[in-house]
Amino acid sequence: ACYGHKLHRHLQNLHWKISVEFEGYRMCICHLPCRIAKPNFVADQTFSKMGAHYHCIICSATITRRTDMIGHINRHVNKGETESRFITAPAPKSSCEVLKEANTDVQVLPNYFTPQKTDSYFNPKMKLNRQLIFCALAVLAEERKPIECLDAFGATGIMGLQWAKHLRSSVKVTINDCNENSVTMIQENCHLNKMKVKVNTKKEDNYEAIGDGDESTDTIEVTKMDANVIMHLRSFDFIHLDPFGTSVNYLDSAFRNVRNLGIVSLTSTDISSLYAKAQHVALRHYGCNIVRTEYYKELAARTVIAAVARSAARCNKGIEVLLAVALEHFVLVVVRVLRGPSPADDSAKKIRYLIHCQWCEERIFQKEGNMVEENPYQQLPCDCHGSMPGRTAVILGPLWSGALFNTGFLRRMLFEAVQYGLDEVQPLLKTVVCEAECTTSKNFSTHSPSDENKQEECGVYIKTPDMLAESDVMPGKRKNNEVMRNATKRQKTDNSAEHPAFYYNIHRHSIKGMNMPKLNKFLNYLSEAGYRVSRTHFDPMGVRTNAPLAQFKTVLMKHSTPTYAGGQTEGPLHLTEDVQVGDQLQAATDNKAKDDEFLEENKSGDSGTVFAEDCPTYSAAD
């Protein structure tokens, strides 16, 4: 009984994976001595071995290869022989587990947590990622209804089911997967959550409705295509990419037909390359040169955004980064698409190289322009190149140099998280909002204010239902378009309001032999010094500030206290003696000052007598 789980895993991963399916039955491979292989003659000895084989449920044949077994079954079907001669019991049901997340039931296989062994991978650790994407979709659903959204890699369909179950008539959900077993499981999960399914298994528009009644708003479209194919064929308002590994192979297709002011979100799980553990893989996939730094998580996010911006620019589209999150298991990037060559040029200009000092870890983006600079070390605020021998800095990139967050969009995401009761994601969103504003104040409203209905993102006013009601009063479609276009031209992005790039780790720059202050107190010290400062979700001990590293270390040194090696063993007596010695030295210093004044005033012979009388007192004190 104690090894039952190992036996179950062995049957699922070995026999179940290479079985042959026929009309609800599975013919698993057999290693018993039912079929003896051809003898092997070695000298005078004859060796015989048992070979792995399959048993046909229609006839009594034993076949060694799986492909031959499939052909054997097809020949029986062509002859009309489909009745089994050996099995009279009904086909056993698959032993699947039912998990529940956000009031959504999903049916998974027992080995759902091993992506190499199953077709429908489900990771419970990505719950926070799914909630962030849901909040972003909920914000977009408030801007325009209904919207067409695509989950390009459905697997179990958990993400698309949550969209359809909570947002309902605001979205038209399409769940896609190229694996037949995953498509079957998605359909079963839709029926488990009482959702109607519209199946499209071909590249043409041939649909098959599964369910009772007419098509309703709770209908989910399930497709079996390659992700690049479906994104080339159809247009969507919201696209989410979550492949196993990097998502750069699907970016060109995603930006080809995405609608204007739509949202593209992508989850990258190739953290070994993005976190600079496999630098050659990052160079191969993203065309970016990176090294391991103290801000490696933000470096990974900017690497992904740079690849996204280049793919969007190839389709004459620009991007506005709404959210960039890098945690332990994934890197999530959410961008808004802006059509036109001008936004594409603006986004392409924000891709720059980064100069990183390997001694003090100071960093700065290279200046704009194509002129070759004679000494690029002059751009760094530090003077490590002058005091250290050799080359002290490296060039990283190309990276995204713009903002990583949009404050208005994040506040609306927080509002939607409160409305739908997503408690796990609210602390992260509050931290990200403070990071986007680069402030330590945490004033959040759970009610939707009127100014949040008109959000400006990258100089573009986003239409919400309140704005649509106001625009209906103005007659003429052309007049409304002109008003929106003029508003777009008037609004400019304020670069000074953007949060500072990168952050410093307070432990990385602590002084040896000194007790540094608490993080919240240190944030207040930097703020009192006149710098913008906030915490960051990338690093729990990170500080995002516009202060240079030298000033950062100065404030840290000023408010750090020395660490004594003696500790508390000596007791207060030791401190009292030190205080007494200090008082004696101070008194001796005062006596010496008085003697100097007296010598200046009296230069006669009497002064020498007085000096001779006072001198022993000064010597004793000294």
Side-chain angles (χ1 to χ4, degrees):
C2 59
Y3 294 100
H5 65 285
K6 294 185 178 180
L7 178 61
H8 191 267
R9 190 187 308 166
H10 168 76
L11 294 175
Q12 289 287 341
N13 294 344
L14 177 62
H15 297 279
W16 194 263
K17 288 289 290 184
I18 58 178
S19 61
V20 178
E21 187 176 1
F22 172 69
E23 292 188 355
Y25 301 98
R26 285 184 180 269
M27 292 167 280
C28 296
I29 193 169
C30 177
H31 291 273
L32 298 177
C34 306
R35 176 190 178 95
I36 300 178
K38 295 180 180 181
N40 184 15
F41 295 94
V42 178
D44 296 336
Q45 299 179 358
T46 304
F47 296 93
S48 62
K49 61 180 180 178
M50 279 75 72
H53 55 277
Y54 295 88
H55 291 274
C56 180
I57 63 174
I58 300 176
C59 63
S60 58
T62 56
I63 301 174
T64 56
R65 295 184 179 181
R66 185 174 183 272
T67 55
D68 297 339
M69 189 65 191
I70 296 175
H72 178 79
I73 292 295
N74 292 335
R75 285 191 292 271
H76 279 299
V77 174
N78 295 334
K79 294 179 181 180
E81 301 172 356
T82 57
E83 294 184 0
S84 175
R85 299 181 182 180
F86 302 98
I87 302 177
T88 57
K93 296 182 180 180
S94 59
S95 57
C96 296
E97 301 179 17
V98 177
L99 304 179
K100 190 171 185 178
E101 180 180 306
N103 297 327
T104 304
D105 298 327
V106 59
Q107 191 176 11
V108 296
L109 294 175
N111 53 355
Y112 61 89
F113 47 84
T114 54
Q116 293 86 0
K117 300 294 184 180
T118 181
D119 298 326
S120 54
Y121 177 56
F122 177 77
N123 190 1
K125 296 181 180 180
M126 301 290 286
K127 180 179 180 181
L128 189 63
N129 176 59
R130 287 187 284 269
Q131 291 185 356
L132 286 171
I133 296 168
F134 175 82
C135 294
L137 179 61
V139 172
L140 183 63
E142 293 295 329
E143 298 174 2
R144 41 184 171 177
K145 300 178 181 180
I147 58 175
E148 297 185 20
C149 50
L150 170 67
D151 184 8
F153 301 90
T156 58
I158 176 66
M159 191 174 297
L161 288 171
Q162 292 177 356
W163 298 349
K165 196 166 186 177
H166 294 284
L167 300 178
R168 293 191 175 275
S169 60
S170 301
V171 295
K172 295 180 180 179
V173 181
T174 301
I175 306 177
N176 176 73
D177 204 291
C178 61
N179 190 284
E180 186 175 357
N181 296 333
S182 296
V183 171
T184 304
M185 182 161 289
I186 291 171
Q187 298 176 15
E188 295 176 357
N189 290 331
C190 290
H191 296 313
L192 186 63
N193 291 273
K194 299 179 181 180
M195 297 283 182
K196 296 181 181 180
V197 185
K198 186 170 64 173
V199 183
N200 178 20
T201 58
K202 298 181 181 179
K203 297 179 182 179
E204 295 84 5
D205 295 336
N206 298 330
Y207 297 99
E208 177 186 357
I210 299 177
D212 300 333
D214 299 332
E215 182 179 343
S216 63
T217 56
D218 294 340
T219 301
I220 296 179
E221 181 181 351
V222 181
T223 59
K224 180 182 176 296
M225 300 183 191
D226 186 84
N228 287 318
V229 174
I230 189 172
M231 289 186 290
H232 272 285
L233 292 177
R234 297 174 52 184
S235 300
F236 295 96
D237 299 286
F238 184 90
I239 297 176
H240 176 63
L241 303 175
D242 187 7
F244 183 72
T246 181
S247 56
V248 294
N249 300 326
Y250 307 95
L251 293 178
D252 292 340
S253 304
F255 286 101
R256 179 179 178 86
N257 286 332
V258 63
R259 294 191 176 100
N260 189 27
L261 299 181
I263 290 179
V264 175
S265 65
L266 58 141
T267 303
S268 300
T269 54
D270 54 334
I271 57 175
S272 61
S273 60
L274 289 175
Y275 290 172
K277 294 180 180 178
Q279 302 176 9
H280 61 286
V281 181
L283 182 62
R284 186 197 321 144
H285 288 169
Y286 300 95
C288 181
N289 178 35
I290 57 177
V291 296
R292 185 79 171 191
T293 61
E294 64 172 332
Y295 51 92
Y296 66 94
K297 287 188 177 180
E298 183 171 348
L299 203 66
R302 293 185 180 275
T303 301
V304 176
I305 298 174
V308 171
R310 288 193 296 267
S311 298
R314 283 192 289 268
C315 300
N316 284 335
K317 295 182 178 69
I319 63 170
E320 163 70 3
V321 182
L322 305 177
L323 172 66
V325 173
L327 298 179
E328 182 181 0
H329 302 287
F330 64 90
V331 176
L332 173 64
V333 173
V334 181
V335 299
R336 188 183 292 276
V337 181
L338 307 173
R339 280 192 173 182
S342 297
D345 295 340
D346 296 338
S347 300
K349 291 178 182 178
K350 294 181 180 180
I351 301 177
R352 303 183 191 174
Y353 285 92
L354 181 74
I355 304 178
H356 170 81
C357 180
Q358 293 182 310
W359 287 96
C360 64
E361 297 216 23
E362 182 65 286
R363 76 289 300 210
I364 191 171
F365 283 104
Q366 277 190 349
K367 299 178 181 178
E368 294 183 3
N370 300 326
M371 302 301 295
V372 178
E373 190 170 353
E374 183 178 356
N375 187 10
Y377 291 99
Q378 294 179 353
Q379 299 185 22
L380 284 171
C382 64
D383 57 347
C384 296
H385 180 66
S387 58
M388 300 292 180
R391 301 176 181 179
T392 59
V394 292
I395 295 180
L396 308 180
L399 303 171
W400 174 261
S401 63
L404 297 180
F405 314 102
N406 185 277
T407 307
F409 191 86
L410 291 175
R411 287 187 174 273
R412 287 189 287 166
M413 284 182 62
L414 180 60
F415 173 75
E416 297 295 338
V418 174
Q419 291 295 317
Y420 288 97
L422 304 178
D423 299 331
E424 293 85 352
V425 77
Q426 293 180 23
L428 176 61
L429 284 176
K430 291 179 181 179
T431 303
V432 174
V433 169
C434 291
E435 187 176 0
E437 297 177 351
C438 199
T439 179
T440 56
S441 61
K442 297 182 179 181
N443 299 324
F444 305 102
S445 61
T446 57
H447 303 283
S448 179
S450 59
D451 56 346
E452 288 188 5
N453 292 331
K454 297 180 181 180
Q455 292 295 336
E456 179 199 350
E457 297 172 4
C458 195
V460 177
Y461 276 122
I462 307 301
K463 282 189 176 182
T464 58
D466 295 343
M467 295 182 66
L468 292 175
E470 296 176 0
S471 62
D472 291 339
V473 180
M474 305 173 61
K477 180 179 179 181
R478 180 176 298 179
K479 188 173 183 180
N480 294 337
N481 294 336
E482 290 179 357
V483 172
M484 295 298 297
R485 191 180 300 110
N486 293 335
T488 302
K489 292 180 179 179
R490 287 194 303 267
Q491 300 297 330
K492 300 295 182 182
T493 304
D494 188 9
N495 294 328
S496 61
E498 292 184 358
H499 57 84
F502 301 111
Y503 54 89
Y504 300 105
N505 187 289
I506 188 173
H507 283 292
R508 194 71 171 261
H509 300 284
S510 61
I511 297 94
K512 185 177 180 180
M514 304 286 287
N515 290 330
M516 61 183 183
K518 298 293 184 180
L519 182 58
N520 293 332
K521 292 184 178 180
F522 179 69
L523 295 179
N524 295 331
Y525 296 150
L526 274 178
S527 180
E528 292 173 359
Y531 297 103
R532 300 176 60 194
V533 63
S534 70
R535 302 189 68 168
T536 175
H537 79 279
F538 292 111
D539 190 353
M541 298 304 296
V543 177
R544 184 180 296 276
T545 177
N546 59 345
L549 183 58
Q551 189 65 25
F552 182 89
K553 290 183 177 180
T554 301
V555 176
L556 185 61
M557 180 68 181
K558 179 180 178 181
H559 297 90
S560 298
T561 57
T563 304
Y564 294 99
Q568 300 295 332
T569 57
E570 299 293 337
L573 179 62
H574 213 50
L575 299 177
T576 305
E577 293 178 356
D578 293 341
V579 171
Q580 292 177 357
V581 172
D583 294 340
Q584 292 177 0
L585 293 176
Q586 182 66 26
T589 306
D590 296 340
N591 293 335
K592 183 179 179 181
K594 293 179 179 179
D595 292 341
D596 294 340
E597 294 178 358
F598 185 79
L599 289 175
E600 290 180 359
E601 294 176 358
N602 305 293
K603 296 183 179 179
S604 59
D606 296 337
S607 63
T609 306
V610 176
F611 175 74
E613 294 178 356
D614 294 340
C615 185
T617 306
Y618 169 71
S619 301
D622 189 34

